[in-house]
Structures are given as C-alpha cells and as structure tokens.
Amino acid sequence: MDEMEEELKCPVCGSFYREPIILPCSHNICLACARNILVQTPEAESPQSSRASGSADYDYLDLDKMSLYSEADSGYGSYGGFVSAPTTPCQKSPNGVRVFPPAVPQPPPQQHLLQPPGSFPPIPRNSCITCPQCHRSLILDERGLRGFPKNRVLEGVVDRYQQSKAAALKCQLCEKSPREATVMCEQCDVFYCDPCRLRCHPPRGPLAKHRLVPPAQGRISRRASPRKISTCTEHELENLSMYCVQCKTPVCYQCLEEGKHGPHEVKALGAMWKLHKGQLSQALNVLSDRATEAKEFLVQLRNMVQHIQENGVEFEACLVAQCDALIDALNRRKAQLLSQVNKEHEHKLKVVRDQISHCTVKLRQTTGLMEYCLEVIKENDPSGFLQISDPLIRRVHMTEGQWGKGTLTPRMTSDFDLTLDSGPLLQTIHQLDFVQMKVPAAPILQLEECCTQNNSATLSWKQPPLSTIAVEGYILELDDGNGGPFREVYVGTETICTVDGLHFNSTYRSRVKAFNASGVGQYSKTLIMQTSETGLPPCDIQSIGAVAWFTFDPSSAHPDILFSNDNLTVTCNSYDDRVVMGNAAFSRGVHYWEITIDRYDNHPDPAFGIARGDVVKDVMLGKDDKAWAMYVDNNRSWFMHNNSHTNRTDGGIAKGSTVGMLLDFSRRILIFLINDEQQGPVAFEGLEGAFYPAVSLNRNVQVTLHTGLPIPDFYTPGEVDPTGSTC
C-alpha cells in the first residue's frame, strides 16, 4: 500500500487529492490547485475552436504563442506570447513536477474587500489551464472549472487509504483500558478483542452463524454507503445511463436527443463498466508477472554485488601473490596493476548498483500503479470508473512495455576477465600489463560436411562467426559406440578429422571443444552418427535397430525456456512461442522419440518436429526454412515448414497426450503420431542432412521427452535408396 501513495497525491500541492477533477488529458488535479494555476489569455489570442472544458476533445494552445516547459529547457518557462505575463521562473511541486505559477490578475482592493471570506475569486474570461504533468493547455468555457468531471473513484480510494492509516480500532466491550480489536461481527455490529470475543460471542449456539471479519474490513462495511447515482454535467437533472463509444464518456438520454452524441455509437453503461473492468484486470495480470520478474531480477542483481565483491577480493589476492614472487622491479609495477583491478572492481559495482537503483524505482512505481488499479477496480460506480479506465489501461500497458526485452538483463557480469601474464623475462617487467583472454567458445559442427562411410566417420567444425578469442587447438571425442564414456581421438589445430576403425552397425556420439592458454572451452553439441552394416559399399548407410538417448539442450535453447527433470522436462516463462532442441543431431538411420503433455492450459498450439542447428528460436517451430514441424491444438493439427501450412487433420491433444515423431533417413521422411495413432499422411519427404529434435511452446504448456524407444510395430523401415544418400 505504501507504494500506492504517490498515485494519490496531487502533482501541484504534493498532498492527498482534495476534490480531484479529471482534465481532458486524463490527469488529475485538486480543484483548489486548478484555480491556483489558471492563466488569463488576451481575448484576441483565444482560439476560436476551443472545446468545452469537460469534453474529451480539446485543443492545445498555439505553440508559437505560448512557450511551454520541456525537458530541453534550462529550468525556466514563461508564457512569452502574453503582454500581461512577464517571464517568471517555473515552480516545482513537492511531487517533483514543475508547474507554472499563477498568473491570474489580482482584483482591485475594493473588490477584494467585498469578497466573502473563504470563497474563491471569480474565474476571468478566457482563462487557460495547463496540466502540470503533460503541459497540455485548454481554454475554459463559461462554466469554468465546473465543466471538468469530478474523479469520485480517486476520491474514494484516497479516503480508504487514509482510513487504513488511521489508529487501530479498540474493543467496545472492555470495561477499563480497551484492548485492540481483532474481529468485528457483522450481525452484532460490535468490535471484539480476543478475550471479549471468547466471553461474549462464543462460536456455538445461536451466535455460531454470525460472520466475523477483520476490523479494517468491518470499518469499511460499516461506513459503506449506497452507490451514488451520477448526473450529467450538461443536464444536471438527468442520470448518466449510456456510454458514448466515440467520445469515451458516459452520457444521458438528453445528450443523445439534443447534444453532439446523437449520431455516435452508444452502449449500456453497465455493460461497458464490466468490459473495462475486465480489460484492466487482464492488463494487471500481465503487469503482475512483470513485477514478479523484476523482484527476482533484483535478487539476482544483489547476488551479483556479493559475487563481484568476492571475485574482486580473490583476484586481488592472486595478483598480490604473483607480484610478491617477482623481483624488485615488479614491485614498482604492482601498484599500477592493483589500481587497474580496483577501477574494474568499482566500475562493475557502480554499474550493477546503478541498475539496482533504477530497477527499484521502476518496481516501486509499478507496484504503486498496481495497487491503485486494484483499488479502482473495487469501486462500484460505473460512470466514475469509466471516466478513468481508459487512461489507466493505457498506463498499465505502457508500464508493462517498460519491462520489455533487455530491461531485466544484467548490464555487467560478475567475473573479472583479466589474466596476469607472469611469463615475460625480467627486462620486460616494466611493460607488464593485463591480457584480456577467455577460454574459447564452443565450436559449431558443420553438419553438412559430417558423414560416415563404412566403419569411418568424418567430422567438421568451425568457431562461432562472431568469436574473436584466440584458439590454439581442438579436442575431438567419441564414445565406444555402445553408450560408454567419451575418449579423445584427436588433438590438433585442424577443423576436420576422419576417424577410421570404428565398429560396423554402431551408433557413435561425438563432440569437440577448443582450447587456448587460458584453458579449455565448452563442448559443442553432441552429434550422433551411425556406421554402416558390414559389407555395404561407401555412402550406402542404414541404421537397423539402433536407438538413441538424448535430452533437451539448455545451451542452445531460448533464454525463456525452463528446464527440469535432468533436462527431460521443459516449459516456458513467456506467452510467446520459444524453441528448444535436443542435444543430439541425427543424420542416418531410423529414429523414434515421444513427448508427453504434462500441462495444457488455455488451448495453445505447441509445435513438434525437427530443425537445423541455426533455426530461429523466438517464433513457432516451422515458421522459417530451418524447421519441419506439426503444430496442434485441442481439436486439430497442421504440418508447417517455411511458414507454409498443409494437411489439416482432425484430432488434437490434451493433458496426458503423447506425441510421437518417426524420422526415417532410409526413406528420408518424417511421420507424426498422437496417442500411438498416425496423425495425417507422411508429413515431410526428401529430408537430407543432419537434424535436431525440436519443440516450440509457451508458458501454457509443459512437456517431457522420452528417448531410446523402439520403432512402432506398425512401421516397416524402407529399403535404402542408393542414389539419395550423401556423405
């Protein structure tokens, strides 16, 4: 509730709103503050097309005639177009918003003496009011400030907030010093402390059916009054009963018969009230998710501060130990090196702390807006709610957009990417400096060049295209062809290697990593390769009865994918589709795997299939030319490749359903199954190269992968096509 307090304060006086009115720009201001910032304009400069002050359509003053405050100003603003208004510095309200000082001419002394005490001075003709928040201006009509609608919803929220801050309620039955009340009985209309409740209001007998509520809730229900019937500002005797869709304002029947709303589309006030409440609630759900992510992000940033501190201390100790081991010339250089480390240390801390401060402010504003909106939703005044619902919905969407992509990403790592080179000779000590080196990135397997031939396997790889880290060599590893441990089969600088002497009719897992002086980098993705049967000619390769075990790959998945169950179960924290692939690629043989649907909410359409290693991961699988997929909802499915949809088939999925994928390289086809039944015809034909199992899903879906499965009984692998196999 404390965060909401900023939403309840006037931008001019900085106090809680008193008699707030709604300006045409949807901002609020106290009625008394509005009188204080009125400006009188010469009649010759009054816009001829000015609207009534209560209308949602309003004109801005000519910017050539009025200099408004902007962020580019030096802190001063003036109404330079008016002869009667000298240049005057801007004032700054307690809320931090700059406002223009009042420029209403002072009445003559004798007129001031005749003015009743406590009343406001009359509003001059051609008065202009400028919003202190967005600086939009409007010429008032003959009704003056009475033409602006009162914000009854905001007034009610302020009243409830101030009541919640009041002193605690006391028990009404304590004889001497009353204790603090803990409950209120709605039927008895009495506040009780715990001892008095047990003594005077036992939870049995005829009092057992009475409803006991917290004291704060009881105070609100005791003071609650029937909903006020709002009247039209144009026709004070008419009740507001309709809503003008074009003008976005409540209207009465007389407005429709006589006013400008006659030709406009109108709807029932109650229906629009419920519609806008639903829209605001839906927008708040999304914003609430963003606020939760922001809180988790702040925890991450605070942990980074601790890690930077620890890494900084550890790095300094290592540096001191190295410098102390060198000769006297190294000691003269030691201070300079420590200075560089401290600068890097302080820079990282400053960046992370600045981001923490910035994110904390945004989260406080977001939380305040959320609490204010929740209080607004509690209002039971349709017309009052609809007066502010549209701008509130826009604010919620705009605030949610501020937590967009990149906002919740750390701007600094906690690691110190510095390595001290202590190998130079003594005469080079005075040139000693840090060498910024990292271990190499994981190599990328060039699947189009990887193949098997008889009992030999050829693998090719390369460094990531944007990597600038020096590489001294590569290490290629294969398992024993039977699921055993990996072993090194090549160490060197080449990026292609052929391994001979493998077992026939065996499935080998292979991977490669790079190294340099700083250490060994991460492994590439695992490539599964099938050697041919004994006696088959080169490039005539087939897999018979081999099964592959694999999991989902966190290193290549979209950052929104969430992993569990040893990387066999995945879901997503985004409403958009995100792609995750397996950690093994297939290029030969017949392979079958299944995915079970663990959770399926709101009828989304996840996609299942195969993909190349460079598939786009922030759209549905099959949207680009790197994936071949079936997307399915609760009623039907489609096949999709390169955003082309084909073969709509009835039959969908639900929680507990199983989706199977059968990839046959001998026929070069892909078949899909749902609950052990083939879904539609053969999905894709002419498949060549290496493919990764892949899935796309959003936060409404959770799936689990099952591998190492035999080929379904209904399917018979086809004959090898000697002209269609490539190596």
Side-chain angles (χ1 to χ4, degrees):
M1 292 288 286
D2 292 338
E3 288 85 353
M4 185 179 64
E5 186 168 312
E6 296 180 5
E7 296 281 340
L8 308 181
K9 290 186 177 181
C10 174
V12 176
C13 63
S15 303
F16 288 109
Y17 283 106
R18 297 183 299 276
E19 298 183 88
I21 59 176
I22 306 175
L23 300 179
C25 57
S26 301
H27 291 126
N28 300 287
I29 190 174
C30 297
L31 179 61
C33 296
R35 290 182 174 273
N36 290 337
I37 64 172
L38 286 176
V39 175
Q40 186 176 9
T41 62
E43 286 194 23
E45 297 182 4
S46 300
Q48 298 299 323
S49 59
S50 61
R51 303 287 195 271
S53 58
S55 170
D57 299 327
Y58 56 90
D59 295 331
Y60 306 141
L61 290 179
D62 189 346
L63 294 181
D64 292 334
K65 298 179 180 179
M66 176 176 287
S67 172
L68 297 180
Y69 167 75
S70 69
E71 293 296 334
D73 288 342
S74 60
Y76 291 92
S78 65
Y79 299 106
F82 306 135
V83 177
S84 59
T87 301
T88 310
C90 293
Q91 296 175 344
K92 194 169 185 180
S93 75
N95 249 15
V97 179
R98 300 195 204 189
V99 298
F100 291 106
V104 179
Q106 295 295 328
Q110 61 275 17
Q111 181 179 349
H112 179 72
L113 293 175
L114 297 176
Q115 182 176 322
S119 63
F120 290 108
I123 298 177
R125 294 185 59 191
N126 298 324
S127 292
C128 166
I129 187 170
T130 300
C131 176
Q133 291 182 284
C134 65
H135 307 292
R136 297 177 179 176
S137 302
L138 179 74
I139 301 295
L140 273 63
D141 59 13
E142 64 277 0
R143 295 175 298 168
L145 296 176
R146 291 184 297 103
F148 293 115
K150 294 182 178 180
N151 194 337
R152 297 186 302 276
V153 172
L154 177 57
E155 197 170 7
V157 173
V158 171
D159 182 57
R160 287 201 302 271
Y161 180 80
Q162 291 178 324
Q163 289 179 11
S164 68
K165 294 294 185 179
L169 293 170
K170 300 297 183 180
C171 176
Q172 295 177 270
L173 298 182
C174 291
E175 295 182 357
K176 295 185 178 179
S177 56
R179 302 182 184 91
E180 182 176 340
T182 57
V183 294
M184 173 198 173
C185 177
E186 289 188 336
Q187 285 71 29
C188 302
D189 196 20
V190 174
F191 291 95
Y192 298 94
C193 64
D194 286 336
C196 292
R197 175 178 59 82
L198 295 175
R199 185 178 68 255
C200 304
H201 200 289
R204 60 185 179 274
L207 301 180
K209 296 183 179 180
H210 286 200
R211 184 167 180 261
L212 302 178
V213 297
Q217 182 180 344
R219 173 167 53 189
I220 294 175
S221 61
R222 175 183 280 187
R223 296 188 179 184
S225 59
R227 189 172 68 199
K228 298 179 181 179
I229 300 178
S230 305
T231 57
C232 179
T233 56
E234 298 284 345
H235 313 94
E236 298 182 354
L237 299 180
E238 295 290 337
N239 295 333
L240 296 172
S241 56
M242 305 295 290
Y243 181 79
C244 178
V245 178
Q246 181 174 341
C247 300
K248 298 182 178 180
T249 184
V251 295
C252 66
Y253 280 106
Q254 194 169 347
C255 291
L256 301 180
E257 295 177 358
E258 302 175 0
K260 66 176 182 178
H261 303 283
H264 296 173
E265 178 186 0
V266 294
K267 292 187 178 181
L269 192 66
M272 294 301 295
W273 177 36
K274 294 180 180 178
L275 175 63
H276 282 226
K277 275 199 172 186
Q279 292 175 350
L280 182 57
S281 299
Q282 187 175 6
L284 276 177
N285 289 335
V286 179
L287 185 60
S288 177
D289 293 338
R290 292 295 184 183
T292 302
E293 294 174 5
K295 292 178 181 178
E296 296 173 353
F297 179 62
L298 281 174
V299 174
Q300 179 184 355
L301 291 179
R302 293 188 177 99
N303 290 336
M304 284 185 63
V305 172
Q306 181 179 357
H307 293 159
I308 291 175
Q309 295 277 18
E310 294 173 354
N311 292 343
V313 172
E314 181 181 354
F315 192 83
E316 287 185 14
C318 179
L319 179 61
V320 170
Q322 289 177 315
C323 290
D324 289 343
L326 299 177
I327 58 176
D328 295 340
L330 187 60
N331 290 326
R332 293 191 295 269
R333 188 67 175 167
K334 181 172 62 175
Q336 300 178 14
L337 296 176
L338 284 173
S339 176
Q340 294 185 31
V341 173
N342 288 328
K343 288 180 180 178
E344 180 72 8
H345 178 200
E346 294 301 326
H347 173 67
K348 287 179 178 288
L349 288 177
K350 183 178 183 302
V351 172
V352 175
R353 285 169 175 165
D354 289 346
Q355 192 172 10
I356 290 176
S357 176
H358 177 69
C359 191
T360 302
V361 172
K362 289 182 65 177
L363 179 60
R364 180 181 180 86
Q365 295 172 349
T366 300
T367 306
L369 177 59
M370 289 169 54
E371 293 180 354
Y372 171 58
C373 291
L374 290 174
E375 292 296 327
V376 169
I377 291 178
K378 296 177 184 177
E379 286 296 314
N380 57 0
D381 181 2
S383 60
F385 179 84
L386 290 173
Q387 286 177 325
I388 64 171
S389 58
D390 279 312
L392 270 182
I393 294 172
R394 288 195 299 271
R395 284 187 62 192
V396 170
H397 284 305
M398 181 173 60
T399 304
E400 192 273 334
Q402 293 176 355
W403 294 104
K405 186 175 182 182
T407 308
L408 302 181
T409 302
R411 300 174 184 170
M412 181 65 64
T413 64
S414 58
D415 297 328
F416 283 73
D417 303 326
L418 303 171
T419 302
L420 181 64
D421 185 7
S422 59
L425 298 175
L426 182 60
Q427 59 267 27
T428 63
I429 288 180
H430 293 288
Q431 300 176 354
L432 185 65
D433 203 347
F434 288 109
V435 178
Q436 294 197 9
M437 290 187 64
K438 296 182 179 179
V439 296
I444 298 176
L445 291 171
Q446 296 184 279
L447 301 179
E448 63 277 3
E449 299 182 14
C450 299
C451 66
T452 58
Q453 180 176 338
N454 289 337
N455 65 336
S456 299
T458 299
L459 294 100
S460 177
W461 59 88
K462 63 180 180 180
Q463 277 297 103
L466 300 180
S467 177
T468 59
I469 302 175
V471 175
E472 296 182 5
Y474 300 93
I475 301 174
L476 175 63
E477 297 180 357
L478 266 70
D479 68 355
D480 59 0
N482 195 29
F486 284 93
R487 67 186 191 279
E488 293 184 2
V489 296
Y490 170 76
V491 178
T493 59
E494 300 295 331
T495 58
I496 188 169
C497 178
T498 298
V499 183
D500 299 318
L502 303 177
H503 297 290
F504 285 98
N505 192 26
S506 299
T507 301
Y508 285 89
R509 296 178 298 154
S510 57
R511 62 189 185 183
V512 64
K513 59 184 177 181
F515 63 87
N516 61 13
S518 296
V520 180
Q522 294 184 344
Y523 286 105
S524 66
K525 293 182 178 180
T526 302
L527 178 64
I528 297 179
M529 307 185 73
Q530 177 80 22
T531 57
S532 62
E533 284 190 89
T534 305
L536 288 179
C539 295
D540 200 3
I541 300 165
Q542 183 180 13
S543 169
I544 298 179
V547 295
W549 302 84
F550 59 95
T551 64
F552 289 117
D553 184 17
S555 63
S556 64
H558 192 279
D560 291 339
I561 296 293
L562 304 177
F563 294 81
S564 60
N565 189 24
D566 294 329
N567 297 335
L568 291 174
T569 300
V570 294
T571 184
C572 181
N573 62 8
S574 171
Y575 285 104
D576 298 320
D577 290 302
R578 303 300 189 219
V579 173
V580 57
M581 299 191 300
N583 62 355
F586 301 123
S587 60
R588 298 290 186 272
V590 182
H591 306 277
Y592 179 73
W593 64 96
E594 291 181 349
I595 292 177
T596 57
I597 311 301
D598 302 332
R599 180 168 51 81
Y600 186 78
D601 303 328
N602 302 322
H603 308 303
D605 44 359
F608 310 87
I610 57 177
R612 304 289 192 190
D614 55 348
V615 65
V616 177
K617 297 184 177 64
D618 56 359
V619 297
M620 179 185 288
L621 194 69
K623 287 284 188 179
D624 63 354
D625 62 348
K626 306 296 184 183
W628 294 256
M630 174 187 74
Y631 70 95
V632 56
D633 58 18
N634 61 319
N635 292 319
R636 59 192 70 85
S637 66
W638 293 261
F639 302 146
M640 183 166 62
H641 169 64
N642 201 16
N643 205 24
S644 175
H645 311 252
T646 60
N647 296 99
R648 168 177 166 173
T649 305
D650 291 334
I653 60 174
K655 180 180 178 181
S657 298
T658 300
V659 179
M661 281 136 283
L662 178 59
L663 178 61
D664 187 350
F665 282 100
S666 62
R667 292 179 176 176
R668 298 188 294 174
I669 62 174
L670 177 64
I671 297 174
F672 292 97
L673 297 87
I674 294 182
N675 297 329
D676 299 326
E677 297 290 335
Q678 183 170 337
Q679 184 75 356
V682 173
F684 302 101
E685 298 176 318
L687 300 173
E688 293 183 354
F691 302 90
Y692 291 90
V695 178
S696 70
L697 71 170
N698 63 17
R699 68 184 304 160
N700 292 314
V701 183
Q702 178 174 301
V703 300
T704 296
L705 175 66
H706 303 276
T707 62
L709 304 177
I711 306 302
D713 295 336
F714 78 90
Y715 184 78
T716 301
E719 296 296 327
V720 178
D721 180 7
T723 64
S725 178
T726 60
C727 289

